[in-house]
Amino acid sequence: IKLNSDDLVIDIGSNDGNLLSNFKNNHKVLGITPEKVGKIAIKRGIPTLLRYFDKATANFVLKKYGKAKIITATNVFAHIENVDQLMKNILKILDKNGIFISESHYLVSLIKTNQYDTIYHEHLRYYSLSSLKYLFDKYGLKIIRTKKINTHGGSIRVFATKSKKYKINKNVKKILNSEKKYLNLKTFDKFRKNVFRSKINLYSILKNIKNSNKKICGIGAPARASTLINYIGLDENIIDYVLEIEGSKKIGNYIPGTKIPILSEKKLFTDQPDFAILFSWHLASELKHKLRKKGYKGKFIIPLPKPYIKWKMSKLDIIIPVYNENDNIIRLLKDLENEILCNFRILICYDSDNDKTLKQIKNNKVIDKELLFIKNPKQGPNSAIIQGINASQAEIILVYMADDFENIKII
C-alpha cells in the first residue's frame, strides 16, 4: 500500500495510540477511542478523538479531517453494536482507493481450540472469513488479503477495499475453501460436546487436588477467566486466590460472581501454592517460563483446549539460534521430531521480529512440541546460545544450528 505524507491513517479503538505511533512521523494520523487512555496518545503527539465511533463521529471526521487511505480496527470491529451502521460509518470516511484493515477473533480457531472462555459480553460477534466476506460484499468491499495471526489465541486480519487497483491474494480463496468443513451444524454440535467434556475434566482435576488438601491459585484475571470460572462453577473453596502483576487495578477486588480474591503476584513466590492454573492459557509457554525464572516451584494447570497438569519441567531442551535460515529450519525441526524419541522442548533464539525463519515457524505448525521463542537482538549465534542456556531449566541441553539436520542422532 503506497502512502504519501498527506495520506490519513485512522485507527478505530486506538487506545494509547500504539499502532498509530508507527505512522505519525511520516503520515497524518487520527485515533478514535472513548476511553481516557486516549489522553496518553494525545500526550504522545497523536491526534485522538475521545468519543465512540458512531454516525456523528464519522460526520465530524469527514468534515474536519477528510477521508482516510487506511482505516484499522484491531480487536474492536466485533465489539461495536449495529454492524450495518458501523459499515456505513467506515465507508463514509474511507477514500475511494482506501483500505479497511480489521483484526477479529477467528471463529475457526475458537472452535478448534475449544475457546468457550473467550465468549463474553463485549465480544458481540465471532467472525470467519466467510462471514466477513458476506458482510463486506453487502457494502461493495472486496477482500484482497487475509492472514491468520496468533493474537488472543487465534485471530484473523483482513484487508478490504472498494478499489479495483488491488489484486486479490490467492490466500483469500484458500482460507475460504478451508472453512467449508467447519461451518456446519455438525461442527458446532461437536464443539458443544467438547466444551462440556472440558468442563467436567477440569473440575475432576481440581476436585482431586483439593481432596488432597493442596492449594490452587489462579494466574491472571483476564475477562476470559471470569467466563471459565463461572461456567465450571469454581469458587474460593477451590481457587484460593487469583494473582495479578503488581500495579494492576484488579488487585484488591474479586473475580466477578465469586468471592475469589485478586492479589499481587508476589504471593506466588512467597506462598508457593502447590498448583497454579493459567487462565491466559494461550500464553502458557511464555508464562511458565517467566514464573519459573522468578522462582515458582509448583505445578501448572492448563485448562484448555484439553485440561492437563504440567507435572515437571522438560528433561531435554534443544536450543536453535535462527537468523533467516528458513531454507533449512523446517527440515531440522521435522528431523528432530522423528529422531529424538524422548519428550523435549525447543528454544528458538531469534534476532528480529521480522526474521523470515521466525515467521515461517509461527505460521506453520511443523512440529508437535512446545516451542519457546527468545529474542536476542543483533548479538549473533553465540550470544543466542548462551541466552538459550540461561533460559533453560532442563536437565539436558542440546544445541543445533539450523543446517544441522544431517548430524542428528537417534536419542
Side-chain angles (χ1 to χ4, degrees):
I1 304 171
K2 187 177 180 181
L3 286 176
N4 299 317
S5 58
D6 59 345
D7 284 330
L8 176 63
V9 179
I10 294 177
D11 185 26
I12 301 170
S14 54
N15 294 311
D16 63 359
N18 191 47
L19 188 153
L20 290 176
S21 66
N22 296 284
F23 296 92
K24 79 181 184 74
N25 293 331
N26 300 305
H27 311 286
K28 294 192 296 183
V29 297
L30 177 65
I32 303 172
T33 184
E35 303 157 309
K36 291 181 180 179
V37 71
K39 292 180 180 180
I40 297 175
I42 295 172
K43 288 181 180 179
R44 297 170 69 183
I46 298 170
T48 302
L49 301 178
L50 301 180
R51 54 198 292 179
Y52 288 100
F53 182 63
D54 52 21
K55 184 177 180 179
T57 298
N59 288 332
F60 178 81
V61 170
L62 182 63
K63 184 177 180 180
K64 184 171 181 178
Y65 298 93
K67 295 197 172 188
K69 193 67 172 290
I70 292 179
I71 299 176
T72 57
T74 59
N75 197 35
V76 70
F77 183 68
H79 298 187
I80 301 175
E81 295 181 10
N82 195 340
V83 68
D84 287 300
Q85 186 60 55
L86 171 61
M87 292 300 301
K88 291 175 184 177
N89 295 340
I90 290 169
L91 292 176
K92 181 172 286 189
I93 61 173
L94 184 65
D95 184 84
K96 64 178 181 179
N97 291 317
I99 293 179
F100 172 54
I101 307 171
S102 68
E103 285 183 12
S104 302
H105 207 121
Y106 188 39
L107 177 64
V108 175
S109 296
L110 185 151
I111 292 170
K112 289 172 69 174
T113 54
N114 217 24
Q115 291 187 56
Y116 68 83
D117 60 334
T118 195
I119 300 174
Y120 51 86
H121 69 291
E122 69 179 35
H123 293 171
L124 303 180
R125 298 176 296 278
Y126 302 86
Y127 284 116
S128 63
L129 186 60
S130 300
S131 60
L132 282 170
K133 183 178 184 303
Y134 177 84
L135 174 62
F136 290 165
D137 282 350
K138 183 178 176 181
Y139 290 93
L141 284 170
K142 66 175 181 179
I143 296 174
I144 57 171
R145 181 181 174 86
T146 186
K147 183 180 181 182
K148 297 176 186 177
I149 55 178
N150 295 326
T151 311
H152 304 294
S155 299
I156 190 160
R157 181 182 296 150
V158 177
F159 298 69
T161 183
K162 278 197 167 187
S163 175
K164 296 180 180 179
K165 65 182 288 187
Y166 301 103
K167 293 182 179 179
I168 299 176
N169 187 282
K170 61 183 181 180
N171 201 39
V172 175
K173 185 176 181 180
K174 182 180 177 182
I175 293 179
L176 285 171
N177 287 334
S178 71
E179 288 182 351
K180 291 178 181 178
K181 62 182 178 181
Y182 295 105
L183 304 180
N184 53 68
L185 288 176
K186 184 179 179 181
T187 296
F188 286 99
D189 186 54
K190 183 179 179 181
F191 174 64
R192 177 181 62 83
K193 292 175 181 176
N194 286 341
V195 168
F196 178 70
R197 191 176 296 116
S198 172
K199 172 181 179 175
I200 58 176
N201 287 344
L202 178 57
Y203 196 90
S204 176
I205 289 173
L206 299 178
K207 183 189 76 170
N208 290 337
I209 292 172
K210 296 307 287 187
N211 283 342
S212 300
N213 293 317
K214 302 292 185 181
K215 187 175 286 188
I216 304 172
C217 77
I219 303 297
R224 66 195 308 155
S226 298
T227 301
L228 185 145
I229 286 171
N230 282 277
Y231 174 64
I232 303 297
L234 308 180
D235 60 21
E236 69 279 6
N237 296 306
I238 300 174
I239 306 295
D240 294 84
Y241 45 79
V242 169
L243 303 174
E244 275 274 306
I245 58 173
E246 191 67 27
S248 170
K249 293 182 178 180
K250 298 175 186 178
I251 294 173
N253 294 296
Y254 296 85
I255 295 294
T258 76
K259 293 182 180 179
I260 302 173
I262 302 174
L263 309 175
S264 169
E265 187 186 75
K266 290 180 180 179
K267 191 172 179 64
L268 181 71
F269 312 111
T270 57
D271 205 19
Q272 290 291 337
D274 304 284
F275 293 85
I277 182 168
L278 301 179
F279 290 122
S280 294
W281 55 269
H282 57 298
L283 304 174
S285 294
E286 294 93 330
L287 288 173
K288 287 186 291 182
H289 172 66
K290 288 179 181 179
L291 296 175
R292 287 283 186 229
K293 198 170 183 179
K294 288 182 177 181
Y296 177 59
K297 299 175 183 178
K299 304 174 181 68
F300 292 109
I301 302 170
I302 314 299
L304 290 170
K306 293 182 179 180
Y308 72 95
I309 297 173
K310 184 75 175 179
W311 286 100
K312 57 184 179 181
M313 293 174 283
S314 173
K315 193 176 185 69
L316 171 63
D317 275 352
I318 296 177
I319 298 170
I320 307 176
V322 295
Y323 294 87
N324 285 322
E325 296 284 354
N326 55 313
D327 291 337
N328 299 319
I329 187 66
I330 301 303
R331 180 176 173 183
L332 172 63
L333 291 173
K334 289 181 178 178
D335 285 355
L336 285 170
E337 187 168 41
N338 291 333
E339 298 294 334
I340 298 181
L341 305 181
C342 64
N343 188 34
F344 64 94
R345 182 178 66 160
I346 294 179
L347 281 64
I348 303 290
C349 302
Y350 65 98
D351 176 61
S352 164
D353 290 324
N354 295 319
D355 191 292
K356 294 178 181 177
T357 307
L358 182 71
K359 291 181 179 180
Q360 191 169 2
I361 295 170
K362 287 187 173 182
N363 292 338
N364 298 279
K365 183 66 176 176
V366 296
I367 184 170
D368 188 24
K369 296 293 179 183
E370 181 181 350
L371 298 175
L372 178 65
F373 296 93
I374 302 172
K375 192 170 184 178
N376 184 62
K378 300 180 180 179
Q379 297 296 316
N382 290 335
S383 174
I385 292 170
I386 293 172
Q387 193 164 349
I389 291 172
N390 289 336
S392 174
Q393 295 183 335
E395 296 177 25
I396 304 169
I397 299 173
L398 298 179
V399 177
Y400 284 96
M401 305 305 288
D403 56 358
D404 275 347
F405 49 82
E406 293 182 352
N407 299 318
I408 298 174
K409 307 296 183 185
I410 293 180
I411 298 178

